[in-house]
Amino acid sequence: PPEALSGQRSRVRRLPFAQLTRSDLAFLERALPGRASSDPRELEACNVDWLGSARGCSKLLLKPQTTAEVSQVLRYCYERNLAVTPQGGNTGLVGGSVPVFDEIILSTALMNRIISFDKVSGILVCQAGCILEKLNEYVEEQGFVMPLDLGAKGSCHIGGNVATNAGGLRLLRYGSLRGTVLGLEVVLADGSMLDCLTSLRKDNTGYDLKQLFIGSEGTLGVITAVSILCPQKPKAVNLAFLGCQSFAKVLETFTTCRAMLGEILSAFEFMDEKCMELVEKHLKLSSPVPGSPFYVLIETSGSNSTHDEEKLNGFLEQAMTSGLVTDGTVATDDKKIKALWSLRERITEALTHDGCVYKYDVSLPVGRLYDLVMDMRARLGQSAKNVVGYGHLGDGNLHLNITAESYSHSLLDAIEPFVYEWTARCNGSISAEHGLGFKKKQFIEYSKPREAVQLMQRFKAMLDPKGILNPYKTLPPAP
């Protein structure tokens, strides 16, 4: 909401970057013929984030196609002291991918070329602007899958995924991007190019520089190409969607499931009944298992369907007879699997139809995961419309969402910093996978010691001495 933004922006002063001049415009239009736009209609979409909760006022959108072009643009902007916001699919949820003031938007939308794919090792090398779902379709044809899957897969870019260290639905099985990304090509603030685009699983020569850029949210360099390890496509995928009567039962189901399904378990997601109500009400989807306080979605992926089904059936029998699960449904065909996944994947979308959304993405010890939702419900009472909890239970990642009819300062004050203090007391993380962006940067010390934050600020000052890359994001300003 605009009033929330003006409140946040008023706490941030525009840094003394240069203002865009006619000669800047002329140079950049020559550098990127037909791909430098100052059309207000085109800029409108790029100045607002997916949630409609962060809005900038950039006057220029640049769409390079090659690393050399990114390098030329950044070298010029660095010399002129012009601030730049790198932008991928603009699907972030913490205001990290849109300008705060008038920063130039550097979009990777046209950098969507697949460079190579090795069918033996499963290593994919591609430009940063490739859309995740398109990459998944491409590698699936060769018998592989991308190691990450997100609700935003139809529009998010792989470079943005890496820059934000996106988590998502496959992390339980394949780990985070910090493990599956093998190499990166990055352009630094001054336009110099860093080629760490290795395709080796093992390379133990010096510091692992790519890790600096994974999760740096475009503040240290612009990722232009990625080398990523793709696992083989599972031959057999099964999905179980189950109802549980309490969160204690959800936890016990997870423990049992992990013990009995072992190596074929690929996802364990949970949602509460409020989430299901919103998905049914706003998206007209219907629950296959009505009337449960909690739902879990369990996915198995393996190489032998008979073996996997046997294991899953054994687990379901155990879960039903011991009273962990009251009701459930199983899917093995693609259509039903997609329909069940959409109940979980589209919760974010359903929430946006419910009013103004306050979003929190935290890591907590699994046993405490739902306590935060209940404590928040009790704290907010009637001042919130809905308080819901869902997320990647297998990774200890809770998505806590609070909706209200409209934006309210007093409601925000009741939520923050309470939610961060609560998380810090449990030694959790205030951002499990969304990053810090513009909205959360001032809360970083709830999860990181001051010395760590100071070291991060020193990295930023070293790699981007003028601070032109995605300013006002990720880190609090250095003293």
Side-chain angles (χ1 to χ4, degrees), residues 264-275:
I264 62 167
L265 178 64
S266 53
F268 193 104
E269 301 284 314
F270 94 100
M271 56 197 274
D272 62 19
E273 62 184 336
K274 286 270 184 221
C275 291

Side-chain angles (χ1 to χ4, degrees), residues 172-406:
L172 178 65
R173 177 66 168 271
Y174 301 123
S176 78
L177 287 170
R178 295 200 177 279
T180 52
V181 169
L182 303 178
L184 291 177
E185 179 186 72
V186 181
V187 179
L188 301 179
D190 64 359
S192 54
M193 197 181 97
L194 182 67
D195 184 356
C196 293
L197 200 60
T198 175
S199 293
L200 300 170
R201 291 285 303 272
K202 300 173 98 169
D203 174 10
N204 212 356
T205 51
Y207 306 135
D208 188 0
L209 293 178
K210 71 174 180 289
Q211 295 296 347
L212 262 183
F213 301 97
I214 300 172
S216 67
E217 303 187 72
T219 61
L220 298 179
V222 176
I223 294 169
T224 51
V226 177
S227 165
I228 190 165
L229 181 68
C230 300
Q232 281 204 294
K233 184 184 177 182
K235 290 188 174 66
V237 175
N238 296 298
L239 211 64
F241 195 89
L242 313 171
C244 293
Q245 288 304 303
S246 68
F247 191 70
K249 294 265 168 78
V250 170
L251 290 175
E252 219 180 314
T253 304
F254 176 55
T255 311
T256 309
C257 167
R258 206 167 38 174
M260 293 186 73
L261 299 179
E263 77 291 346
I264 62 167
L265 178 64
S266 53
F268 193 104
E269 301 284 314
F270 94 100
M271 56 197 274
D272 62 19
E273 62 184 336
K274 286 270 184 221
C275 291
M276 183 63 84
E277 282 169 22
L278 293 173
V279 164
E280 290 184 312
K281 179 182 171 184
H282 297 299
L283 305 179
K284 304 291 180 265
L285 300 179
S286 59
S287 169
V289 186
S292 289
F294 292 93
Y295 299 91
V296 298
L297 186 150
I298 297 165
E299 183 190 71
T300 65
S301 308
S303 55
N304 183 323
S305 57
T306 315
H307 165 268
D308 292 5
E309 278 173 40
E310 203 176 291
K311 274 190 143 175
L312 184 60
N313 290 336
F315 157 72
L316 291 171
E317 206 173 299
Q318 166 80 14
M320 290 289 194
T321 53
S322 60
L324 292 180
V325 167
T326 46
D327 196 0
T329 183
V330 175
T332 49
D333 67 284
D334 269 3
K335 197 177 174 194
K336 191 176 175 188
I337 285 174
K338 280 200 171 87
L340 289 177
W341 261 121
S342 64
L343 292 168
R344 161 63 186 87
E345 284 188 283
R346 295 182 68 193
I347 296 170
T348 309
E349 186 188 337
L351 283 156
T352 60
H353 294 286
D354 202 51
C356 177
V357 192
Y358 303 79
K359 303 188 84 64
Y360 300 92
D361 153 54
V362 296
S363 277
L364 291 165
V366 182
R368 299 294 313 272
L369 213 59
Y370 204 71
D371 293 352
L372 176 54
V373 183
M374 294 193 297
D375 284 3
M376 192 58 85
R377 265 188 202 141
R379 180 178 171 85
L380 300 180
Q382 296 302 303
S383 59
K385 188 174 174 185
N386 276 303
V387 177
V388 308
Y390 66 99
H392 316 294
L393 188 108
D395 314 324
N397 178 189
L398 170 73
H399 294 310
L400 167 72
N401 284 249
I402 295 142
T403 65
E405 289 298 349
S406 58

